Amino acid sequence: MFEFIKRFFRRKDKMEKDNISLSEVESIIMWHFSSDSYRMMLDGNRYYAGEHDILKRNRTAIGDDGKLITVNNLPNNKIVNNQYKKLVKQKVNYIASKTPSISTDNEKYNELLNDLFDKGFLKTIKRIATDVYNNGIGWLFLYVDGEGNLKFKRLNSVEVIPVWTDNDHTELKYAIRKYVNQVYRNGRYEKETHIELYKDSGVEYYILNDNKLNLVEKKAYLTVDDTPYNWQRIPLISFRADELEQPLLNRVKSLQDGLNMLMSDFMNNMQEDSRNTILVIKNYDGENLGEFRRNLATYGAVKVREEGEVSSLQVEVNAGNYDAIVKLLKQTIIENGAGFDSKADTLGNNPNQLNIRSMYSDIDLEANDFETEFQASFEELLWFVANHLKNTGQGDFLGEKVEVVLNRDILVNESQAISDIKNSVGIISEETLLAQHPWVTDVQAEQEKLKKEHSEKMEDYGGFGEHNHDYPQEGGEA
């Protein structure tokens, strides 16, 4: 094992020195965590978790000095209708709910890749895709465990600061990871800020105190027989939806806030009654308005002088207007976020494939960008995989071409799809037809089942038609 390691890894003591000063790293850390891009990442994760700005809302009024003051005796509903999370999950499941199709002409390499990219890898990819939409970018870290197996680990995008060598963000100069742990010290728990610095020469671990880095240790990416080795590249791969690297929330935040505000205001207006609305008082038999409100709240009645009167200014709440605006906001969130409306009326009573495709047109267009970026990231991932396989003596696949296709979770009219497949028999290959069948999840397994069934039929007919498929006809002779 690891007999080829010197070809594909570099000895740590022979690595070129990284020209990275600690003061540079400290400055980048301070700048990043006070930047707008970091704030947008936090907002994306916060809104996904349902922690929207409406939850911090207070009812206000104009005070004596003309400035707004908080009013605590008014209804203050804080309703979160989390269309943003629904949009993110819709896009992630559309793109990454099914295992990507990974194929190559080399059967052995194909088998090794399918074993490596299992259900656990799909789960990791789904979490990274969620990071991509919430934070604008996702990160996958590769490492070799103690048993020599290649492993994949998602790094939280909020914790990672990439430093690129170019403006197109295609190659990492180095990357910084910042996270906080709680440690038990001197009889109590304290927060400890950890910094990991990913470089060509390995990983460096620091503790951050008062914005100063204190070195803990330096490690190579791999150690074999007490000898440290490193990859020829930093084993940290970025994933993104497009070249802008912007969180999805940027496109829909104002609409989501407007929806929350509208629904909260509707509930506020519905709850306002004679005890908390605007009242018109004539000849009140009391000293001040505070006493008036207390009597009204306590007894549900007030005492007025002769010819006195209490009336209220009613604001008519038109539920139909609210309903129309709510539908408009939801539809606009879908359109701006490039999702699809699963409850759209466009399908009607005729859910043919053309109508279905029309419903998916926006999300499909954005998924094309995502797939282009995904394939570029996967190509980089396969470089590490091929080198690892050769390093561990499992085969040399560095020159093999690999095709990666995202299997999108699109609604289909099964009857029409099956009919189209039947009409295509004899025109295109059986493998292609099976791949398009809505009931087939594993093409190779389905082909094996068909071969087995065909062999069993041949045995039932005593081998007739083994070569020319001339089966006995009903009422006739073979």
Side-chain angles (χ1 to χ4, degrees):
M1 192 173 185
F2 296 110
E3 61 265 27
F4 299 107
I5 197 164
K6 291 184 180 180
R7 296 185 185 181
F8 305 104
F9 289 80
R10 290 177 288 182
R11 282 277 301 269
K12 185 180 178 183
D13 54 3
K14 293 183 179 180
M15 293 287 293
E16 67 275 10
K17 293 184 178 180
D18 297 296
N19 296 319
I20 304 171
S21 66
L22 288 185
S23 59
E24 175 187 335
V25 175
E26 291 165 353
S27 298
I28 289 175
I29 292 172
M30 291 179 62
W31 170 82
H32 175 78
F33 289 103
S34 60
S35 66
D36 289 338
S37 60
Y38 177 67
R39 177 188 57 78
M40 288 189 292
M41 286 185 174
L42 293 180
D43 286 345
N45 288 290
R46 184 166 57 85
Y47 267 60
Y48 185 77
E51 301 172 7
H52 295 202
D53 289 349
I54 190 70
L55 299 176
K56 301 177 183 178
R57 181 195 184 193
N58 293 315
R59 295 292 296 272
T60 59
I62 299 176
D64 295 336
D65 57 357
K67 297 181 180 179
L68 289 177
I69 59 173
T70 301
V71 181
N72 296 318
N73 60 346
L74 292 176
N76 186 21
N77 288 281
K78 303 173 182 179
I79 297 176
V80 174
N81 187 335
N82 203 344
Q83 294 295 303
Y84 169 73
K85 180 178 181 179
K86 178 182 177 182
L87 184 62
V88 171
K89 292 184 74 68
Q90 187 182 82
K91 296 168 86 66
V92 169
N93 281 284
Y94 179 73
I95 294 171
S97 65
K98 296 183 178 180
T99 305
S101 295
I102 303 168
S103 60
T104 177
D105 293 336
N106 189 308
E107 291 187 7
K108 182 180 179 182
Y109 191 28
N110 194 69
E111 183 179 342
L112 289 170
L113 290 178
N114 281 283
D115 289 341
L116 188 61
F117 301 130
D118 54 10
K119 296 295 183 182
F121 177 77
L122 177 63
K123 179 181 177 181
T124 302
I125 287 296
K126 281 192 69 175
R127 294 188 67 190
I128 291 175
T130 303
D131 286 340
V132 168
Y133 285 113
N134 283 335
N135 306 314
I137 194 168
W139 293 98
L140 180 69
F141 178 67
L142 295 92
Y143 67 97
V144 179
D145 65 11
E147 297 178 356
N149 300 312
L150 187 65
K151 295 292 184 179
F152 309 101
K153 179 182 178 182
R154 162 196 169 263
L155 296 187
N156 191 341
S157 304
V158 175
E159 299 175 349
V160 179
I161 312 171
V163 180
W164 304 96
T165 61
D166 58 339
N167 293 329
D168 292 331
H169 296 182
T170 57
E171 184 180 355
L172 278 173
K173 181 180 179 182
Y174 61 92
I176 307 164
R177 181 189 177 204
K178 176 188 175 185
Y179 60 96
V180 177
N181 277 345
Q182 283 198 341
V183 295
Y184 189 76
R185 186 182 293 126
N186 298 327
R188 61 192 180 95
Y189 284 99
E190 297 179 357
K191 290 184 178 180
E192 191 172 72
T193 303
H194 293 253
I195 299 294
E196 295 176 357
L197 189 59
Y198 296 90
K199 306 162 61 176
D200 284 337
S201 56
V203 188
E204 298 177 1
Y205 300 88
Y206 296 87
I207 298 294
L208 187 66
N209 285 322
D210 298 325
N211 296 322
K212 294 295 181 183
L213 293 172
N214 301 298
L215 181 64
V216 176
E217 64 174 332
K218 296 182 179 181
K219 293 178 65 176
Y221 292 115
L222 178 67
T223 301
V224 180
D225 297 330
D226 296 326
T227 302
Y229 292 91
N230 286 306
W231 297 95
Q232 294 178 356
R233 305 176 186 177
I234 299 175
L236 191 60
I237 299 171
S238 63
F239 290 80
R240 66 205 87 187
D242 55 35
E243 69 282 357
L244 296 178
E245 297 180 13
Q246 285 187 344
L248 178 61
L249 185 65
N250 283 20
R251 288 186 264 165
V252 299
K253 184 176 186 299
S254 60
L255 296 168
Q256 176 67 72
D257 288 340
L259 178 63
N260 293 340
M261 187 79 71
L262 184 72
M263 299 188 71
S264 299
D265 285 345
F266 179 75
M267 287 296 296
N268 290 342
N269 291 335
M270 291 295 290
Q271 289 178 355
E272 288 178 350
D273 55 30
S274 61
R275 302 188 186 193
N276 54 27
T277 52
I278 301 172
L279 299 177
V280 180
I281 310 167
K282 297 180 181 178
N283 296 325
Y284 169 58
D285 191 14
E287 296 182 357
N288 56 57
L289 294 178
E291 181 188 34
F292 171 81
R293 280 290 187 185
R294 283 195 301 273
N295 290 336
L296 185 62
T298 304
Y299 305 107
V302 293
K303 184 180 179 182
V304 296
R305 295 172 187 165
E306 188 177 352
E307 298 181 357
E309 182 183 351
V310 178
S311 60
S312 63
L313 295 180
Q314 295 284 344
V315 177
E316 194 70 26
V317 179
N318 190 327
N321 291 341
Y322 277 95
D323 185 54
I325 300 174
V326 165
K327 287 183 178 178
L328 179 62
L329 284 171
K330 286 183 177 180
Q331 187 62 38
T332 310
I333 289 173
I334 292 172
E335 290 177 358
N336 281 264
F340 65 89
D341 185 1
S342 58
K343 300 177 182 178
D345 298 329
T346 53
L347 294 180
N349 296 321
N350 184 28
N352 59 55
Q353 206 61 32
L354 185 61
N355 286 343
I356 293 172
R357 283 290 179 185
S358 176
M359 183 178 72
Y360 281 95
S361 59
D362 287 343
I363 194 171
D364 222 22
L365 188 64
E366 189 163 290
N368 291 337
D369 285 338
F370 187 99
E371 186 163 20
T372 300
E373 296 287 346
F374 179 90
Q375 288 172 336
S377 299
F378 215 86
E379 188 176 281
E380 186 177 356
L381 170 63
L382 288 170
W383 181 89
F384 289 97
V385 171
N387 275 289
H388 172 75
L389 292 175
K390 185 165 186 177
N391 171 56
T392 53
Q394 299 182 62
D396 184 357
F397 309 107
L398 287 170
E400 296 288 343
K401 291 185 178 180
V402 180
E403 183 179 1
V404 181
V405 178
L406 293 178
N407 292 315
R408 304 175 189 182
D409 189 18
I410 187 170
L411 179 70
V412 295
N413 184 326
E414 291 188 349
S415 298
Q416 182 178 340
I418 294 172
S419 177
D420 292 342
I421 290 171
K422 290 173 66 177
N423 293 334
S424 301
V425 172
I427 301 174
I428 54 180
S429 69
E430 180 185 85
E431 183 177 356
T432 301
L433 294 176
L434 285 173
Q436 297 301 318
H437 201 290
W439 299 347
V440 175
T441 55
D442 189 328
V443 175
Q444 292 181 343
E446 195 65 29
Q447 285 180 315
E448 292 298 323
K449 292 178 183 178
L450 287 171
K451 289 179 182 179
K452 182 179 178 182
E453 289 181 2
H454 180 68
S455 298
E456 291 174 352
K457 287 180 179 179
M458 292 300 99
E459 293 176 1
D460 291 341
Y461 288 126
F464 284 109
E466 185 174 357
H467 301 291
N468 56 15
H469 305 290
D470 289 328
Y471 303 121
Q473 302 296 317
E474 186 176 355
E477 297 182 356

